[in-house]
Amino acid sequence: MLEMREQQIEQQDAAHQEGHVLLRLSGATKRFGGTTAISDVSFEIRAGEVLALLGENGAGKSTCVKVLAGVYAPDEGVIEIEGSERVWTSPLDAKRAGIAVMHQHPGLFPDLSVAENIFFGHFVETQRGTLDMSRMVSEAEDLLKTIGLEVSPNQPLRTLSVSEQQLVEVARALSTNADILIMDEPTAALSHREVVKLFAVVEQLKARGVGIVFVGHRMDEIFEIADRVAVLRDGELVGLEPADILTRQEAINLMAGRELTAEYPTRSSTHGAVVLGVRDLSRDGEYDGISFEVRAGEILGIGGLVGSGRTEVARTLFGITQPSSGVITLDGEATSIRSAGDAMRKGITYVSEDRLSQSLIMDFPIRVNASLTVLEQCTSRGLLKAEKEIDAVKDHLERLKLRYASFDQEISGLSGGNQQKVVLAKWLARKPRILILDEPTQGIDVQSKAEVHEMIADLAAQGMAIILISSEMPELLGMCDRIVVLNEGHQSAEFDGKDATAASVLEAATADLRDRGEAATDMSEPEKGGPASGLAGTLSRILLRRELGLLVAIFAVMIPVTALNPRMISASNLYSIGMDAALLGLVALGQMLVILTRNIDLSVASVIGLTAYASAALMSAHPALPAFVAVAMAIAIGAGLGVFNGVVIAYGRVPSIVATLGTMSIFRGLDSIFVGGNQISADEVPEHWLNLAGTRVAGIPMIVLISVAVLALAAFLLARTRYGRELYAVGSNPAGADLIGIPSTRRTFAAFVISGALAGLMGALWASRYATVDARVAFGFELTVVAAVVVGGVAIRGGSGTVLGIVLGALALLIIRNGLVLVRVDPLWLQGIYGLVILVAITIDAKIAARHERNLARRVPS
């Protein structure tokens, strides 16, 4: 593997000489409606050089990146590669031309493994067309070592921190061996140590002749890594100079369009009484022995590397998590903060580091997002009033100089800096005594940073106690009165603001505590390492399986029922359960495919009913026909109905729950018209049609064999082919799928077609097994299908689930209902008790699944 990669690097070295123009963007203009995002922008990307792209939020940097990456087509202008004009129709075109992109918000897939994320879009395949997982894992290990990220390639991405995910994005860009690498805000979530590693990789790429575009806001980083600097303002290129000629202050002034100082506000050092104190605060596996105090009017900084425990301490102070030991005091009195609501009632607010997923509702307007914490103040007779929402936050938004079209503008339409201002206004509306700020200026431009810093200083001057967590050393040194430094969950140092230096803070954050003679106490964290080998390793992997919870739930039902009625494990009863599970498993598979794409198909029962009667009617009218003809017809009808659903939902963009509620009634209505009140019974169809379901091969029913074959094939295709993994990607991160050119619409359409075809197959097998068919076949069965899929662990949000899970989910539902009948539950109580037992089973499964997630999050290579 390493030799192959070295050969690719040597070929790349030979292909480019330093300074050679790889890409030229000429006169690029992009408009969205009446808004011009970029206008007449021109620059070159040269081999072995870093071009830094600077500008305030909304200046057009990300638009330029997306034009280069093929996400947007320019309305005017030309892209040239090696002197040849190129037109991108999708991100795949740009990728094939040798352009790799790290987007501002990583286009990764949380439900897939690290290795799959690294190679997504350019999977390594075997000669048979299946994924070569062993090779991808091996190469992923090499890439992870290169960037210094110690995680397992097989680990699900969702178990990684934000900064670790950003490094996976770096590894993915490196895996393409691209000629041009575009890095959009690559360091926003990285610690200083991780930035150093990233810059070392950038230097290696420059030496190989790779041309790099670096988009960022941290001026120190820009001038450390850049060879040339291009400055955008209001969508126009206003400066393009060598980095050793353009000064930092000149760049800032170009960005702002006027003289703008980047200095931090001058503050008074007068502080009041201690408002918040923590003493020996600990939480198992996260941090240990943390002690500090914050006074009224004081800004206390918390420094340390990402993962040092900074955010974990903040979450405890806000009541999101509970400490294992230690004391929290408010105004000198010990207190317990039981929840976020309890924290807010006590005057504590918390601005989290991840504004996109934890602080904002992206499809909601500004006024709604900003007033979420004070809704009780925005009602009249129990109803929310828009004018009261605006009144509650207007002053704070104006104070922060929010740039917006109207209070009803969707938050997703704002730049990152303006989104952060809305987050800050939301919490300031609570009028807190203690404000915890976790990376408050991450990913925002210089001017917005200055405005946020002014606001923080003003709040402190008014007597508010502020805790400021930041990965930016200048921000900690420039804003804080005192700085507490955390190192691997331990408090390693505390500095007075005027005495702290970048070197001293960094040394405290990175030094080995044991080398300094400070014994690190046991944090009760399970030993990290790769899975053990041999029998112990096998048992460990089994215990980590997500499906274990379902197995435990199934046995939790079967054992007591068998004790009460041994018929539960009789051959006839198990035969009946197996037949029902085979049928339910087929249609549940189709539903799973649809849900993986973040949709739902409520029409499956109607499709089953229609195809069951159609196949039975065909065999009744033409008894000499082979049974497979009727089955094929049912599959074709089901697929046709799936095509109708797919066109309406995938191409028509109609929400699936609305569309399939409609088609559920339409298909059932067609069935009723077709049936016309008639019924086909067992004596009206040929014997070989009935035998289709009852025939056994080696003692196993034909229906079970068909179902097992279909499910096994689906499991293989979903796990080991590019198309299967793309289906997961569409649901796991739709925006990320679009960024790398996955045909999301076609994949969603295909899922509905397959769902319809499988429902048609089940309809034919249903008609064969039960013989008597009328207009009420499978009436209401769609709820059972959805329940089987969800109980089987398929995430309703899409992107996650296994075929084994839905099989176990179907078995669990059938065994629960069967068990209740066997213990002779009163039919009047049956449905309610059935639901109650399902809840108990899901609870057992959820507990084991949570343990599974925790264990996955702790697993890293040894």
Side-chain angles (χ1 to χ4, degrees):
M1 304 299 173
L2 289 173
E3 290 178 0
M4 183 179 300
R5 184 167 297 281
E6 287 171 359
Q7 290 173 0
Q8 291 173 330
I9 292 171
E10 288 173 2
Q11 292 170 1
Q12 194 174 51
D13 291 342
H16 303 300
Q17 296 176 352
E18 186 175 351
H20 172 67
V21 175
L22 301 175
L23 181 148
R24 179 177 284 110
L25 183 67
S26 303
T29 298
K30 181 62 184 177
R31 304 180 186 89
F32 298 95
T35 303
T36 300
I38 56 173
S39 176
D40 195 27
V41 174
S42 301
F43 56 76
E44 299 172 346
I45 302 173
R46 301 171 182 170
E49 183 182 73
V50 175
L51 172 67
L53 204 56
L54 291 182
E56 297 183 0
N57 287 110
K61 305 184 301 298
S62 290
T63 301
C64 282
V65 167
K66 290 180 179 179
V67 166
L68 294 173
V71 178
Y72 299 150
D75 298 313
E76 299 171 17
V78 174
I79 297 173
E80 296 179 32
I81 299 287
E82 301 281 356
S84 175
E85 184 175 332
R86 307 295 287 272
V87 177
W88 310 142
T89 59
S90 78
L92 285 177
D93 292 339
K95 183 180 292 185
R96 293 181 184 124
I99 300 175
V101 185
M102 294 170 53
H103 290 280
Q104 182 175 359
H105 305 300
L108 300 173
F109 307 103
D111 299 294
L112 303 183
S113 71
V114 170
E116 287 176 313
N117 271 280
I118 289 174
F119 288 98
F120 217 99
H122 52 284
F123 282 128
V124 179
E125 297 180 339
T126 65
Q127 293 181 346
R128 296 175 297 176
T130 59
L131 301 185
D132 192 340
M133 291 304 302
S134 61
R135 182 176 165 190
M136 284 194 291
V137 167
S138 175
E139 293 197 17
E141 287 176 342
D142 295 338
L143 289 165
L144 293 172
K145 288 177 182 177
T146 299
I147 60 175
L149 179 58
E150 296 182 352
V151 298
S152 168
N154 294 310
Q155 193 168 336
L157 187 85
R158 64 177 179 272
T159 62
L160 273 57
S161 68
V162 174
S163 64
E164 288 172 332
Q165 291 185 26
Q166 186 72 61
L167 290 172
V168 171
E169 180 89 343
V170 175
R172 182 165 78 176
L174 297 180
S175 70
T176 63
N177 290 310
D179 298 327
I180 298 168
L181 175 60
I182 303 172
M183 310 172 83
D184 192 358
E185 304 271 12
T187 64
L190 303 185
S191 68
H192 176 79
R193 182 169 59 183
E194 291 165 333
V195 170
V196 170
K197 291 178 181 177
L198 174 62
F199 283 5
V201 172
V202 169
E203 291 298 331
Q204 293 175 23
L205 294 174
K206 286 175 60 178
R208 285 164 41 186
V210 176
I212 299 169
V213 177
F214 188 96
V215 182
H217 287 303
R218 297 176 179 175
M219 302 301 288
D220 291 340
E221 295 174 357
I222 292 294
F223 282 90
E224 177 183 347
I225 198 68
D227 296 294
R228 289 185 301 139
V229 178
V231 183
L232 292 172
R233 184 174 70 242
D234 298 328
E236 297 182 354
L237 185 68
V238 295
L240 179 57
E241 301 287 347
D244 56 359
I245 294 177
L246 186 69
T247 68
R248 172 175 171 157
Q249 189 60 51
E250 288 171 342
I252 292 172
N253 293 342
L254 281 171
M255 291 164 59
R258 63 186 185 280
E259 189 73 23
L260 181 69
T261 62
E263 295 177 357
Y264 293 92
T266 302
R267 299 179 47 246
S268 168
S269 58
T270 303
H271 305 141
V274 173
V275 180
L276 172 71
V278 299
R279 186 169 64 252
D280 293 327
L281 198 68
S282 302
R283 177 172 167 81
D284 292 345
E286 293 184 353
Y287 55 85
D288 181 78
I290 308 300
S291 300
F292 57 78
E293 294 177 340
V294 192
R295 297 177 177 272
E298 182 182 27
I299 301 177
L300 174 73
I302 300 183
L305 304 180
V306 173
S308 62
R310 304 172 311 171
T311 295
E312 289 76 9
V313 171
R315 287 168 63 85
T316 297
L317 294 177
F318 193 57
I320 298 173
T321 59
Q322 298 302 306
S324 306
S325 61
V327 178
I328 300 174
T329 61
L330 288 176
D331 299 318
E333 296 184 4
T335 188
S336 175
I337 304 173
R338 297 181 179 85
S339 66
D342 190 22
M344 287 190 285
R345 286 188 291 273
K346 292 174 178 176
I348 304 173
T349 57
Y350 170 53
V351 177
S352 69
E353 63 177 335
D354 188 353
R355 64 175 175 265
L356 293 182
S357 63
Q358 296 179 10
S359 297
L360 295 170
I361 306 174
M362 301 306 290
D363 295 330
F364 280 25
I366 293 170
R367 62 175 173 81
V368 174
N369 273 282
S371 63
L372 282 172
T373 61
V374 289
L375 291 178
E376 69 279 0
Q377 302 173 22
C378 306
T379 60
S380 178
R381 296 179 180 178
L383 299 176
L384 279 173
K385 297 291 185 180
E387 60 271 17
K388 288 196 172 187
E389 290 179 306
I390 293 171
D391 289 343
V393 298
K394 183 178 180 181
D395 291 344
H396 301 295
L397 293 174
E398 289 180 349
R399 180 181 181 183
L400 286 162
K401 301 177 183 178
L402 181 74
R403 300 173 183 88
Y404 63 102
S406 75
F407 285 109
D408 287 316
Q409 180 181 356
E410 282 190 6
I411 199 79
S412 59
L414 298 180
S415 67
N418 285 307
Q419 288 176 354
Q420 187 71 335
K421 291 176 183 179
V422 174
V423 174
L424 290 166
K426 175 181 74 173
W427 289 112
L428 292 178
R430 292 286 309 182
K431 297 181 173 60
R433 299 176 60 221
I434 302 164
L435 177 62
I436 304 171
L437 300 168
D438 195 351
E439 303 285 10
T441 61
Q442 179 175 283
I444 66 176
D445 59 70
V446 173
Q447 186 167 341
S448 294
K449 279 185 180 181
E451 291 164 354
V452 170
H453 290 151
E454 287 285 354
M455 181 272 299
I456 295 172
D458 187 35
L459 293 173
Q462 296 175 33
M464 188 180 295
I466 297 174
I467 296 175
L468 174 61
I469 300 170
S470 179
S471 295
E472 294 194 40
M473 190 67 68
E475 186 169 64
L476 281 177
L477 299 176
M479 289 298 299
C480 300
D481 299 298
R482 286 183 301 118
I483 301 172
V484 170
V485 184
L486 302 188
N487 184 334
E488 297 183 358
H490 300 273
Q491 188 168 337
S492 58
E494 181 174 331
F495 299 96
D496 188 278
K498 61 179 179 295
D499 298 327
T501 65
S504 61
V505 172
L506 188 58
E507 196 277 335
T510 58
D512 191 319
L513 295 179
R514 290 166 295 185
D515 290 345
R516 296 172 54 186
E518 302 174 15
T521 57
D522 180 14
M523 293 174 61
S524 303
E525 183 177 4
E527 182 179 353
K528 294 185 177 183
S533 58
L535 180 59
T538 301
L539 290 174
S540 174
R541 286 188 289 271
I542 291 173
L543 291 173
L544 284 171
R545 290 287 301 185
R546 167 65 175 77
E547 293 80 11
L548 177 64
L550 285 169
L551 282 172
V552 173
I554 288 171
F555 283 107
V557 173
M558 288 190 69
I559 292 172
V561 171
T562 302
L564 294 172
N565 189 338
R567 283 188 57 201
M568 165 59 81
I569 57 174
S570 66
S572 60
N573 191 57
L574 293 178
Y575 172 85
S576 178
I577 291 174
M579 292 281 278
D580 290 341
L583 291 174
L584 179 55
L586 286 173
V587 72
L589 172 61
Q591 189 71 250
M592 171 188 168
L593 299 180
V594 169
I595 291 178
L596 283 178
T597 66
R598 294 198 179 188
N599 289 287
I600 195 167
D601 187 358
L602 298 177
S603 68
V604 288
S606 300
V607 175
I608 292 168
L610 182 57
T611 54
Y613 191 86
S615 59
L618 178 66
M619 295 307 300
S620 176
H622 304 281
L625 281 176
F628 78 86
V629 175
V631 173
M633 183 195 70
I635 294 173
I637 293 173
L641 299 178
V643 166
F644 184 82
N645 278 335
V647 168
V648 171
I649 295 162
Y651 293 98
R653 304 297 181 184
V654 178
S656 59
I657 193 168
V658 175
T660 56
L661 271 173
T663 56
M664 175 179 72
S665 298
I666 293 171
F667 299 161
R668 185 64 69 177
L670 290 175
D671 187 25
S672 297
I673 294 171
F674 181 32
V675 173
N678 297 322
Q679 183 184 78
I680 298 176
S681 57
D683 57 0
E684 297 178 71
V685 292
E687 188 70 20
H688 67 275
W689 172 247
L690 299 178
N691 289 339
L692 176 66
T695 300
R696 300 191 185 196
V697 177
I700 302 174
M702 179 66 73
I703 285 182
V704 173
L705 291 174
I706 292 174
S707 181
V708 168
V710 171
L711 290 166
L713 177 62
F716 176 80
L717 295 176
L718 285 172
R720 298 305 299 270
T721 67
R722 174 168 61 88
Y723 297 103
R725 304 320 286 168
E726 286 182 354
L727 201 65
Y728 280 89
V730 167
S732 187
N733 183 356
D738 292 336
L739 285 175
I740 62 173
I742 294 175
S744 302
T745 299
R746 295 207 300 269
R747 296 292 177 264
T748 301
F749 174 77
F752 276 97
V753 174
I754 295 171
S755 176
L758 289 172
L761 173 60
M762 180 182 176
L765 296 176
W766 183 303
S768 173
R769 184 183 181 202
Y770 295 108
T772 301
V773 183
D774 58 24
R776 293 188 57 81
V777 166
F779 193 82
F781 192 64
E782 60 275 341
L783 298 180
T784 301
V785 174
V786 173
V789 174
V790 175
V791 170
V794 177
I796 203 71
R797 59 169 170 75
S800 177
T802 64
V803 173
L804 178 58
I806 64 166
V807 171
L808 293 174
L811 279 172
L813 290 182
L814 293 170
I815 287 171
I816 289 170
R817 179 172 286 278
N818 180 261
L820 293 175
V821 171
L822 290 177
V823 297
R824 298 181 181 179
V825 172
D826 189 319
L828 296 176
W829 290 83
L830 182 62
Q831 198 65 24
I833 295 176
Y834 178 52
L836 181 61
V837 175
I838 288 176
L839 285 176
V840 172
I842 291 175
T843 300
I844 294 172
D845 172 49
K847 293 292 185 184
I848 294 178
R851 175 179 175 275
H852 163 77
E853 287 294 310
R854 288 194 300 271
N855 287 333
L856 282 175
R858 291 167 177 161
R859 292 174 68 196
V860 296
S862 33

